[in-house]
Amino acid sequence: MPKLQRLRIDAFHAQKGRCCYCSFPMWNVSPDELKPFGLRAKTARPLRCTAEHLVAQQEGGKDVAGNIAAACWLCNTRRHKRKSPPSPEAYRAFVQKRLAKGKWHPPSVAQLRRR
Ligand SMILES: [Zn+2]
């Protein structure tokens, strides 16, 4: 297994399968893993577990245990879409604020929050 994949799966388990930013459940191999949460495969797609570099790769962040967290695809891509990614702490606060307003996930995913 490639190193980054192993680090991601370790982080996934350490975080009990929850995204480090939005705290929503993620899936590893198949979106069907979120069926017990009442999500259809297509709806669950943005919640794929990805390896999040806490110090971004573009800033020299390496593939080492302390630098890899498990984040859903949606949170991960949105953080790194920015020119200068915010710190993990600042970004988590931002995501949580948006979540509280129901303005982060698509509505079909956001309904999970009520469970
Ligand atoms: Zn997330």
Side-chain angles (χ1 to χ4, degrees), residues 19-24 47 71-76 95 104-105:
C19 170
C20 64
Y21 296 124
C22 69
S23 306
F24 272 52
L47 296 175
C72 74
W73 175 86
L74 189 110
C75 289
N76 195 341
V95 171
W104 189 245
H105 298 107

Side-chain angles (χ1 to χ4, degrees), residues 4-52:
L4 187 58
Q5 189 181 344
R6 185 169 44 75
L7 291 172
R8 175 178 63 78
I9 290 173
D10 286 350
F12 176 87
H13 291 297
Q15 295 168 215
K16 300 187 163 55
R18 300 277 173 160
C19 170
C20 64
Y21 296 124
C22 69
S23 306
F24 272 52
M26 300 176 289
W27 56 272
N28 258 316
V29 180
S30 156
D32 287 338
E33 292 164 33
L34 296 185
K35 256 190 191 156
F37 292 93
L39 286 191
R40 296 163 55 154
K42 201 178 155 199
T43 308
R45 204 166 293 161
L47 296 175
R48 178 167 61 84
C49 178
T50 60
E52 159 70 339

Side-chain angles (χ1 to χ4, degrees), residues 1 4 14 19 26 28 38 41 49 53 77 80 85 89 97 108 112 114:
M1 189 186 287
L4 187 58
C19 170
M26 300 176 289
N28 258 316
C49 178
H53 290 78
T77 50
H80 295 284
E89 295 76 20
K97 209 157 106 202
S108 50
L112 247 188
R114 295 196 292 267

